[in-house]
Every structure is written in C-alpha cells, then in structure tokens.
Amino acid sequence: DAKTTQPNSMESNEEEPVHLPCNHSTISGTDYIHWYRQLPSQGPEYVIHGLTSNVNNRMASLAIAEDRKSSTLILHRATLRDAAVYYCILRDLNSGGSNYKLTFGKGTLLTVNP
Amino acid sequence: NAGVTQTPKFRILKIGQSMTLQCTQDMNHNYMYWYRQDPGMGLKLIYYSVGAGITDKGEVPNGYNVSRSTTEDFPLRLELAAPSQTSVYFCASSYYSPGGYTFGSGTRLTVV
C-alpha cells in the first residue's frame, strides 16, 4: 500500500481555518486520496475524497497538489466539534481485493482551542 | 436512518468463551467490513464482504469468522476468546469504491 505521512498533532483556534497536510510521495495514478476523522470514543467518519482535482463538500475542502504527492484537508472555520484524529488514506481501486481495505495510520490529532 | 448499528456496545469475556458481535445497516450497501482498533493504533481490517453470500479475509482474520446471509447483516464471531482480542471493533459499510464508508459506533471488548 502506498503510504502517507501526517504530523502527529496540530493545534487551532476556534473559528479559524485549519490546514491539515498529508504527504504521499509514492502515490500511484490510480490511488484515491481519502480523509476520515475519528472523534473521541466514536467510529471513524468519512470527510472527503478526491483523485486529481480539488474537492469541496459541506464538511471540508481537499486541495491536491498538481503532482499529487501531497494534499491538504481544509476546515474553513474550526469548531470545538472538529477536535478529532484526522486520517489521510490512499486507496488503489485497481489492486483487487485489497482495494476494499482502508489502511489507517496514526493520523493527526487536531486540538481546537476556544 | 439508523446507518450502521452495532451491538453490544460493551462486553467482557472470559478466556475461551465465544460470542457474536452484531452489525446491521439499513442503507442497502453491498460492501461491509469489520475492523479492530487497539489502543493508540489505527484500524485493521479483519474481514469484508462484497455482497450477500460472499466474504473474504482481511489483514487479521485469525480467531474470527463471519457470515453474510443478507445484505443488511454482517455478524462477527469470536471463537475461544483470547486476551489479544481485547480491542474496539468497528463495523462499516459502503455502496462502492471509491465512495466513503459509514462506520458504526463500535463494540468495546475486553477478554480477561
């Protein structure tokens, strides 16, 4: 599986934007970039995914570098509810049975200060 | 919509006992998955299913069994529980790749 690298932790203030980086220098052309988050004592929650173009949804935006070797999850206005572990995950849909697997690393622990 | 429902939420088992973790989804998703998460670690895939009657092993299947007789249900069976199976278990489902997964709230299992 192609690997991702994320900072262990980040801190933000409430109502400010947050940019969560992810490096994936060995990404293949068929890897999708997925982001999930996990609030304390809860199951992971899907945030967003993309392949090449930047993506927006009601939760966040995903900015993908032109060479696809890195991406950034953008929370436009952090709230206390956004405090969670954020996981950046690559999924290769051409890898047979293993494409059903989400390989979770340790993610980035985001702390939001009031 | 209930989404993905897991029962029980908590369970303590003695070594050697067996149990079934229940998972039900009401979104008509074809794909379902079982993950475990050890303290401070990421999730690891135990088993997955791409449709009723079809299951396959993930990364850490030893000590577990699954079945998928309906689209909605995907129970996980633990036979002869061991302390190494102490973990939080998450069930998830999805329509198709690369769509997002919907996770349940988890079952916290302790084997003593």
Side-chain angles (χ1 to χ4, degrees):
Chain A
D1 293 333
K3 292 188 176 180
T4 63
T5 304
Q6 299 177 252
N8 290 333
S9 62
M10 290 185 65
E11 220 170 301
S12 173
N13 295 321
E14 204 174 4
E15 298 190 4
E16 290 184 355
V18 181
H19 291 232
L20 294 162
C22 181
N23 288 322
H24 28 77
S25 58
T26 59
I27 191 170
S28 73
T30 51
D31 279 328
Y32 279 80
I33 302 161
H34 284 242
W35 283 83
Y36 282 77
R37 71 181 186 180
Q38 189 172 19
L39 279 64
S41 300
Q42 295 190 28
E45 176 185 26
Y46 166 77
V47 177
I48 200 166
H49 76 275
L51 184 61
T52 56
S53 303
N54 294 345
V55 184
N56 300 297
N57 66 21
R58 63 174 180 81
M59 290 181 69
S61 295
L62 176 59
I64 302 172
E66 198 168 331
D67 63 6
R68 300 209 326 127
K69 293 184 184 299
S70 66
S71 61
T72 302
L73 180 71
I74 302 165
L75 307 179
H76 296 286
R77 288 184 71 213
T79 69
L80 296 179
R81 274 205 74 249
D82 292 320
V85 178
Y86 286 78
Y87 298 98
C88 171
I89 300 167
L90 301 183
R91 291 184 66 204
D92 181 358
L93 299 188
N94 290 335
S95 58
S98 65
N99 79 53
Y100 302 112
K101 176 179 66 175
L102 289 178
T103 300
F104 286 79
K106 293 193 174 182
T108 297
L109 175 62
L110 175 66
T111 301
V112 180
N113 300 314
Chain B
N1 264 351
V4 176
T5 302
Q6 291 183 238
T7 57
K9 292 193 183 304
F10 303 93
R11 184 73 185 267
I12 298 175
L13 276 184
K14 293 185 178 178
I15 294 171
Q17 287 184 322
S18 301
M19 77 165 293
T20 299
L21 281 66
Q22 302 291 345
C23 176
T24 299
Q25 53 94 5
D26 62 358
M27 298 169 285
N28 203 33
H29 285 170
N30 283 337
Y31 303 154
M32 295 188 74
Y33 319 82
W34 274 105
Y35 285 84
R36 60 176 285 175
Q37 185 174 33
D38 297 332
M41 306 296 287
L43 281 74
K44 293 188 177 179
L45 182 65
I46 306 171
Y47 271 96
Y48 66 96
S49 169
V50 301
I54 306 170
T55 63
D56 208 346
K57 296 178 180 179
E59 300 173 85
V60 290
N62 291 343
Y64 307 95
N65 278 301
V66 293
S67 60
R68 184 95 183 271
S69 57
T70 67
T71 299
E72 296 78 19
D73 300 309
F74 191 41
L76 177 72
R77 178 82 178 162
L78 277 72
E79 305 282 0
L80 299 175
S84 61
Q85 294 179 303
T86 294
S87 190
V88 181
Y89 292 83
F90 291 104
C91 180
S93 69
S94 68
Y95 270 125
Y96 61 92
S97 302
Y101 288 24
T102 301
F103 281 83
S105 57
T107 294
R108 187 175 297 273
L109 176 67
T110 302
V111 182
V112 296

PDB file of all heavy atoms in Angstrom, chain A residues 81-109:
ATOM      1  N   ARG A  81     -16.197  21.024  17.931  1.00  0.00           N
ATOM      2  CA  ARG A  81     -16.628  19.696  17.478  1.00  0.00           C
ATOM      3  C   ARG A  81     -15.677  19.085  16.460  1.00  0.00           C
ATOM      4  O   ARG A  81     -15.767  17.904  16.158  1.00  0.00           O
ATOM      5  CB  ARG A  81     -18.020  19.782  16.863  1.00  0.00           C
ATOM      6  CG  ARG A  81     -19.159  19.663  17.850  1.00  0.00           C
ATOM      7  CD  ARG A  81     -20.412  19.150  17.182  1.00  0.00           C
ATOM      8  NE  ARG A  81     -20.334  17.724  16.876  1.00  0.00           N
ATOM      9  CZ  ARG A  81     -20.248  17.233  15.651  1.00  0.00           C
ATOM     10  NH1 ARG A  81     -20.180  18.027  14.594  1.00  0.00           N
ATOM     11  NH2 ARG A  81     -20.195  15.930  15.437  1.00  0.00           N
ATOM     12  N   ASP A  82     -14.784  19.896  15.908  1.00  0.00           N
ATOM     13  CA  ASP A  82     -13.824  19.377  14.922  1.00  0.00           C
ATOM     14  C   ASP A  82     -12.591  18.755  15.570  1.00  0.00           C
ATOM     15  O   ASP A  82     -11.729  18.225  14.867  1.00  0.00           O
ATOM     16  CB  ASP A  82     -13.385  20.496  13.977  1.00  0.00           C
ATOM     17  CG  ASP A  82     -14.514  20.962  13.067  1.00  0.00           C
ATOM     18  OD1 ASP A  82     -15.285  20.117  12.591  1.00  0.00           O
ATOM     19  OD2 ASP A  82     -14.600  22.197  12.841  1.00  0.00           O
ATOM     20  N   ALA A  83     -12.484  18.845  16.878  1.00  0.00           N
ATOM     21  CA  ALA A  83     -11.351  18.215  17.565  1.00  0.00           C
ATOM     22  C   ALA A  83     -11.461  16.701  17.404  1.00  0.00           C
ATOM     23  O   ALA A  83     -12.434  16.087  17.847  1.00  0.00           O
ATOM     24  CB  ALA A  83     -11.354  18.597  19.039  1.00  0.00           C
ATOM     25  N   ALA A  84     -10.444  16.113  16.756  1.00  0.00           N
ATOM     26  CA  ALA A  84     -10.509  14.687  16.404  1.00  0.00           C
ATOM     27  C   ALA A  84      -9.153  14.261  15.869  1.00  0.00           C
ATOM     28  O   ALA A  84      -8.252  15.083  15.671  1.00  0.00           O
ATOM     29  CB  ALA A  84     -11.582  14.444  15.341  1.00  0.00           C
ATOM     30  N   VAL A  85      -9.026  12.959  15.597  1.00  0.00           N
ATOM     31  CA  VAL A  85      -7.875  12.455  14.854  1.00  0.00           C
ATOM     32  C   VAL A  85      -8.274  12.391  13.387  1.00  0.00           C
ATOM     33  O   VAL A  85      -9.314  11.827  13.046  1.00  0.00           O
ATOM     34  CB  VAL A  85      -7.444  11.059  15.338  1.00  0.00           C
ATOM     35  CG1 VAL A  85      -6.267  10.547  14.502  1.00  0.00           C
ATOM     36  CG2 VAL A  85      -7.062  11.109  16.818  1.00  0.00           C
ATOM     37  N   TYR A  86      -7.465  12.991  12.521  1.00  0.00           N
ATOM     38  CA  TYR A  86      -7.748  13.040  11.095  1.00  0.00           C
ATOM     39  C   TYR A  86      -6.800  12.095  10.358  1.00  0.00           C
ATOM     40  O   TYR A  86      -5.586  12.164  10.520  1.00  0.00           O
ATOM     41  CB  TYR A  86      -7.599  14.466  10.569  1.00  0.00           C
ATOM     42  CG  TYR A  86      -8.743  15.348  10.993  1.00  0.00           C
ATOM     43  CD1 TYR A  86      -8.799  15.877  12.282  1.00  0.00           C
ATOM     44  CD2 TYR A  86      -9.796  15.630  10.123  1.00  0.00           C
ATOM     45  CE1 TYR A  86      -9.857  16.661  12.692  1.00  0.00           C
ATOM     46  CE2 TYR A  86     -10.869  16.413  10.519  1.00  0.00           C
ATOM     47  CZ  TYR A  86     -10.894  16.919  11.807  1.00  0.00           C
ATOM     48  OH  TYR A  86     -11.957  17.692  12.208  1.00  0.00           O
ATOM     49  N   TYR A  87      -7.376  11.224   9.547  1.00  0.00           N
ATOM     50  CA  TYR A  87      -6.604  10.223   8.821  1.00  0.00           C
ATOM     51  C   TYR A  87      -6.626  10.522   7.322  1.00  0.00           C
ATOM     52  O   TYR A  87      -7.691  10.724   6.737  1.00  0.00           O
ATOM     53  CB  TYR A  87      -7.198   8.833   9.024  1.00  0.00           C
ATOM     54  CG  TYR A  87      -7.211   8.327  10.441  1.00  0.00           C
ATOM     55  CD1 TYR A  87      -8.356   8.421  11.228  1.00  0.00           C
ATOM     56  CD2 TYR A  87      -6.079   7.726  10.983  1.00  0.00           C
ATOM     57  CE1 TYR A  87      -8.371   7.931  12.520  1.00  0.00           C
ATOM     58  CE2 TYR A  87      -6.093   7.227  12.278  1.00  0.00           C
ATOM     59  CZ  TYR A  87      -7.242   7.341  13.036  1.00  0.00           C
ATOM     60  OH  TYR A  87      -7.255   6.842  14.319  1.00  0.00           O
ATOM     61  N   CYS A  88      -5.460  10.516   6.734  1.00  0.00           N
ATOM     62  CA  CYS A  88      -5.297  10.622   5.279  1.00  0.00           C
ATOM     63  C   CYS A  88      -4.966   9.228   4.763  1.00  0.00           C
ATOM     64  O   CYS A  88      -4.016   8.601   5.226  1.00  0.00           O
ATOM     65  CB  CYS A  88      -4.168  11.607   4.976  1.00  0.00           C
ATOM     66  SG  CYS A  88      -3.644  11.667   3.258  1.00  0.00           S
ATOM     67  N   ILE A  89      -5.753   8.728   3.816  1.00  0.00           N
ATOM     68  CA  ILE A  89      -5.642   7.326   3.390  1.00  0.00           C
ATOM     69  C   ILE A  89      -5.662   7.258   1.873  1.00  0.00           C
ATOM     70  O   ILE A  89      -6.469   7.935   1.228  1.00  0.00           O
ATOM     71  CB  ILE A  89      -6.818   6.502   3.960  1.00  0.00           C
ATOM     72  CG1 ILE A  89      -6.826   6.547   5.489  1.00  0.00           C
ATOM     73  CG2 ILE A  89      -6.774   5.064   3.458  1.00  0.00           C
ATOM     74  CD1 ILE A  89      -8.109   6.033   6.103  1.00  0.00           C
ATOM     75  N   LEU A  90      -4.805   6.417   1.307  1.00  0.00           N
ATOM     76  CA  LEU A  90      -4.804   6.187  -0.138  1.00  0.00           C
ATOM     77  C   LEU A  90      -5.482   4.856  -0.440  1.00  0.00           C
ATOM     78  O   LEU A  90      -5.269   3.874   0.253  1.00  0.00           O
ATOM     79  CB  LEU A  90      -3.376   6.155  -0.687  1.00  0.00           C
ATOM     80  CG  LEU A  90      -2.536   7.398  -0.478  1.00  0.00           C
ATOM     81  CD1 LEU A  90      -1.182   7.229  -1.154  1.00  0.00           C
ATOM     82  CD2 LEU A  90      -3.238   8.635  -1.006  1.00  0.00           C
ATOM     83  N   ARG A  91      -6.314   4.846  -1.463  1.00  0.00           N
ATOM     84  CA  ARG A  91      -6.968   3.617  -1.895  1.00  0.00           C
ATOM     85  C   ARG A  91      -6.764   3.418  -3.385  1.00  0.00           C
ATOM     86  O   ARG A  91      -7.171   4.246  -4.193  1.00  0.00           O
ATOM     87  CB  ARG A  91      -8.463   3.654  -1.587  1.00  0.00           C
ATOM     88  CG  ARG A  91      -8.796   3.589  -0.121  1.00  0.00           C
ATOM     89  CD  ARG A  91     -10.288   3.521   0.071  1.00  0.00           C
ATOM     90  NE  ARG A  91     -10.820   2.273  -0.455  1.00  0.00           N
ATOM     91  CZ  ARG A  91     -12.079   2.140  -0.832  1.00  0.00           C
ATOM     92  NH1 ARG A  91     -12.905   3.140  -0.776  1.00  0.00           N
ATOM     93  NH2 ARG A  91     -12.506   0.972  -1.289  1.00  0.00           N
ATOM     94  N   ASP A  92      -6.137   2.296  -3.731  1.00  0.00           N
ATOM     95  CA  ASP A  92      -5.919   1.954  -5.131  1.00  0.00           C
ATOM     96  C   ASP A  92      -7.050   1.034  -5.571  1.00  0.00           C
ATOM     97  O   ASP A  92      -7.126  -0.119  -5.148  1.00  0.00           O
ATOM     98  CB  ASP A  92      -4.565   1.272  -5.290  1.00  0.00           C
ATOM     99  CG  ASP A  92      -4.260   0.910  -6.732  1.00  0.00           C
ATOM    100  OD1 ASP A  92      -5.119   1.147  -7.598  1.00  0.00           O
ATOM    101  OD2 ASP A  92      -3.161   0.400  -6.985  1.00  0.00           O
ATOM    102  N   LEU A  93      -7.906   1.520  -6.428  1.00  0.00           N
ATOM    103  CA  LEU A  93      -9.058   0.729  -6.829  1.00  0.00           C
ATOM    104  C   LEU A  93      -8.716  -0.351  -7.833  1.00  0.00           C
ATOM    105  O   LEU A  93      -9.567  -1.157  -8.204  1.00  0.00           O
ATOM    106  CB  LEU A  93     -10.131   1.641  -7.408  1.00  0.00           C
ATOM    107  CG  LEU A  93     -10.658   2.677  -6.424  1.00  0.00           C
ATOM    108  CD1 LEU A  93     -11.835   3.410  -7.010  1.00  0.00           C
ATOM    109  CD2 LEU A  93     -11.048   2.048  -5.111  1.00  0.00           C
ATOM    110  N   ASN A  94      -7.475  -0.415  -8.276  1.00  0.00           N
ATOM    111  CA  ASN A  94      -7.078  -1.442  -9.221  1.00  0.00           C
ATOM    112  C   ASN A  94      -6.293  -2.557  -8.563  1.00  0.00           C
ATOM    113  O   ASN A  94      -5.660  -3.355  -9.249  1.00  0.00           O
ATOM    114  CB  ASN A  94      -6.240  -0.830 -10.351  1.00  0.00           C
ATOM    115  CG  ASN A  94      -7.087   0.046 -11.241  1.00  0.00           C
ATOM    116  OD1 ASN A  94      -8.295  -0.128 -11.329  1.00  0.00           O
ATOM    117  ND2 ASN A  94      -6.461   1.007 -11.885  1.00  0.00           N
ATOM    118  N   SER A  95      -6.323  -2.623  -7.222  1.00  0.00           N
ATOM    119  CA  SER A  95      -5.473  -3.604  -6.539  1.00  0.00           C
ATOM    120  C   SER A  95      -6.254  -4.807  -6.071  1.00  0.00           C
ATOM    121  O   SER A  95      -5.946  -5.421  -5.074  1.00  0.00           O
ATOM    122  CB  SER A  95      -4.763  -2.942  -5.364  1.00  0.00           C
ATOM    123  OG  SER A  95      -5.701  -2.393  -4.476  1.00  0.00           O
ATOM    124  N   GLY A  96      -7.322  -5.148  -6.780  1.00  0.00           N
ATOM    125  CA  GLY A  96      -8.062  -6.364  -6.456  1.00  0.00           C
ATOM    126  C   GLY A  96      -8.718  -6.288  -5.096  1.00  0.00           C
ATOM    127  O   GLY A  96      -9.282  -5.279  -4.733  1.00  0.00           O
ATOM    128  N   GLY A  97      -8.638  -7.367  -4.337  1.00  0.00           N
ATOM    129  CA  GLY A  97      -9.322  -7.416  -3.052  1.00  0.00           C
ATOM    130  C   GLY A  97      -8.831  -6.374  -2.065  1.00  0.00           C
ATOM    131  O   GLY A  97      -9.579  -5.925  -1.211  1.00  0.00           O
ATOM    132  N   SER A  98      -7.586  -5.976  -2.173  1.00  0.00           N
ATOM    133  CA  SER A  98      -7.059  -5.037  -1.172  1.00  0.00           C
ATOM    134  C   SER A  98      -7.626  -3.643  -1.355  1.00  0.00           C
ATOM    135  O   SER A  98      -7.444  -2.783  -0.503  1.00  0.00           O
ATOM    136  CB  SER A  98      -5.535  -4.986  -1.223  1.00  0.00           C
ATOM    137  OG  SER A  98      -5.092  -4.450  -2.445  1.00  0.00           O
ATOM    138  N   ASN A  99      -8.334  -3.377  -2.460  1.00  0.00           N
ATOM    139  CA  ASN A  99      -8.884  -2.030  -2.598  1.00  0.00           C
ATOM    140  C   ASN A  99     -10.068  -1.814  -1.660  1.00  0.00           C
ATOM    141  O   ASN A  99     -10.536  -0.698  -1.522  1.00  0.00           O
ATOM    142  CB  ASN A  99      -9.249  -1.732  -4.062  1.00  0.00           C
ATOM    143  CG  ASN A  99     -10.575  -2.349  -4.481  1.00  0.00           C
ATOM    144  OD1 ASN A  99     -11.600  -2.150  -3.845  1.00  0.00           O
ATOM    145  ND2 ASN A  99     -10.562  -3.079  -5.561  1.00  0.00           N
ATOM    146  N   TYR A 100     -10.522  -2.867  -1.026  1.00  0.00           N
ATOM    147  CA  TYR A 100     -11.607  -2.695  -0.066  1.00  0.00           C
ATOM    148  C   TYR A 100     -11.082  -2.310   1.310  1.00  0.00           C
ATOM    149  O   TYR A 100     -11.840  -2.066   2.216  1.00  0.00           O
ATOM    150  CB  TYR A 100     -12.407  -4.001   0.046  1.00  0.00           C
ATOM    151  CG  TYR A 100     -12.981  -4.443  -1.274  1.00  0.00           C
ATOM    152  CD1 TYR A 100     -12.520  -5.586  -1.912  1.00  0.00           C
ATOM    153  CD2 TYR A 100     -13.959  -3.697  -1.891  1.00  0.00           C
ATOM    154  CE1 TYR A 100     -13.043  -5.972  -3.135  1.00  0.00           C
ATOM    155  CE2 TYR A 100     -14.484  -4.071  -3.106  1.00  0.00           C
ATOM    156  CZ  TYR A 100     -14.021  -5.214  -3.726  1.00  0.00           C
ATOM    157  OH  TYR A 100     -14.529  -5.601  -4.927  1.00  0.00           O
ATOM    158  N   LYS A 101      -9.786  -2.287   1.432  1.00  0.00           N
ATOM    159  CA  LYS A 101      -9.198  -2.044   2.738  1.00  0.00           C
ATOM    160  C   LYS A 101      -8.838  -0.577   2.890  1.00  0.00           C
ATOM    161  O   LYS A 101      -8.189  -0.006   2.030  1.00  0.00           O
ATOM    162  CB  LYS A 101      -7.943  -2.907   2.870  1.00  0.00           C
ATOM    163  CG  LYS A 101      -7.159  -2.710   4.142  1.00  0.00           C
ATOM    164  CD  LYS A 101      -5.956  -3.649   4.169  1.00  0.00           C
ATOM    165  CE  LYS A 101      -4.953  -3.311   3.101  1.00  0.00           C
ATOM    166  NZ  LYS A 101      -3.749  -4.146   3.223  1.00  0.00           N
ATOM    167  N   LEU A 102      -9.274   0.036   3.967  1.00  0.00           N
ATOM    168  CA  LEU A 102      -8.801   1.364   4.345  1.00  0.00           C
ATOM    169  C   LEU A 102      -7.657   1.143   5.314  1.00  0.00           C
ATOM    170  O   LEU A 102      -7.866   0.612   6.386  1.00  0.00           O
ATOM    171  CB  LEU A 102      -9.907   2.177   5.015  1.00  0.00           C
ATOM    172  CG  LEU A 102     -11.057   2.668   4.167  1.00  0.00           C
ATOM    173  CD1 LEU A 102     -12.070   3.398   5.026  1.00  0.00           C
ATOM    174  CD2 LEU A 102     -10.571   3.580   3.053  1.00  0.00           C
ATOM    175  N   THR A 103      -6.443   1.528   4.929  1.00  0.00           N
ATOM    176  CA  THR A 103      -5.291   1.357   5.807  1.00  0.00           C
ATOM    177  C   THR A 103      -5.117   2.620   6.629  1.00  0.00           C
ATOM    178  O   THR A 103      -4.706   3.665   6.112  1.00  0.00           O
ATOM    179  CB  THR A 103      -4.025   1.060   4.990  1.00  0.00           C
ATOM    180  OG1 THR A 103      -4.231  -0.132   4.248  1.00  0.00           O
ATOM    181  CG2 THR A 103      -2.830   0.874   5.927  1.00  0.00           C
ATOM    182  N   PHE A 104      -5.452   2.498   7.901  1.00  0.00           N
ATOM    183  CA  PHE A 104      -5.376   3.647   8.808  1.00  0.00           C
ATOM    184  C   PHE A 104      -3.999   3.711   9.447  1.00  0.00           C
ATOM    185  O   PHE A 104      -3.547   2.744  10.040  1.00  0.00           O
ATOM    186  CB  PHE A 104      -6.422   3.519   9.916  1.00  0.00           C
ATOM    187  CG  PHE A 104      -7.834   3.782   9.483  1.00  0.00           C
ATOM    188  CD1 PHE A 104      -8.562   2.817   8.809  1.00  0.00           C
ATOM    189  CD2 PHE A 104      -8.434   5.003   9.756  1.00  0.00           C
ATOM    190  CE1 PHE A 104      -9.855   3.052   8.411  1.00  0.00           C
ATOM    191  CE2 PHE A 104      -9.743   5.252   9.355  1.00  0.00           C
ATOM    192  CZ  PHE A 104     -10.446   4.279   8.688  1.00  0.00           C
ATOM    193  N   GLY A 105      -3.346   4.857   9.352  1.00  0.00           N
ATOM    194  CA  GLY A 105      -2.126   5.120  10.108  1.00  0.00           C
ATOM    195  C   GLY A 105      -2.513   5.703  11.455  1.00  0.00           C
ATOM    196  O   GLY A 105      -3.605   5.442  11.962  1.00  0.00           O
ATOM    197  N   LYS A 106      -1.619   6.507  12.026  1.00  0.00           N
ATOM    198  CA  LYS A 106      -1.911   7.110  13.329  1.00  0.00           C
ATOM    199  C   LYS A 106      -2.613   8.456  13.205  1.00  0.00           C
ATOM    200  O   LYS A 106      -3.163   8.954  14.175  1.00  0.00           O
ATOM    201  CB  LYS A 106      -0.635   7.229  14.151  1.00  0.00           C
ATOM    202  CG  LYS A 106      -0.075   5.878  14.552  1.00  0.00           C
ATOM    203  CD  LYS A 106       0.993   6.002  15.616  1.00  0.00           C
ATOM    204  CE  LYS A 106       1.413   4.619  16.096  1.00  0.00           C
ATOM    205  NZ  LYS A 106       2.405   4.684  17.165  1.00  0.00           N
ATOM    206  N   GLY A 107      -2.595   9.052  12.024  1.00  0.00           N
ATOM    207  CA  GLY A 107      -3.325  10.285  11.801  1.00  0.00           C
ATOM    208  C   GLY A 107      -2.749  11.485  12.525  1.00  0.00           C
ATOM    209  O   GLY A 107      -1.689  11.437  13.164  1.00  0.00           O
ATOM    210  N   THR A 108      -3.479  12.601  12.414  1.00  0.00           N
ATOM    211  CA  THR A 108      -3.127  13.860  13.073  1.00  0.00           C
ATOM    212  C   THR A 108      -4.172  14.182  14.127  1.00  0.00           C
ATOM    213  O   THR A 108      -5.361  14.269  13.806  1.00  0.00           O
ATOM    214  CB  THR A 108      -3.074  15.019  12.065  1.00  0.00           C
ATOM    215  OG1 THR A 108      -2.057  14.786  11.111  1.00  0.00           O
ATOM    216  CG2 THR A 108      -2.812  16.347  12.788  1.00  0.00           C
ATOM    217  N   LEU A 109      -3.723  14.358  15.348  1.00  0.00           N
ATOM    218  CA  LEU A 109      -4.627  14.760  16.414  1.00  0.00           C
ATOM    219  C   LEU A 109      -4.794  16.280  16.372  1.00  0.00           C
ATOM    220  O   LEU A 109      -3.834  17.024  16.590  1.00  0.00           O
ATOM    221  CB  LEU A 109      -4.083  14.332  17.772  1.00  0.00           C
ATOM    222  CG  LEU A 109      -4.886  14.805  18.991  1.00  0.00           C
ATOM    223  CD1 LEU A 109      -6.299  14.229  18.967  1.00  0.00           C
ATOM    224  CD2 LEU A 109      -4.178  14.440  20.292  1.00  0.00           C
TER     225      LEU A 109
END
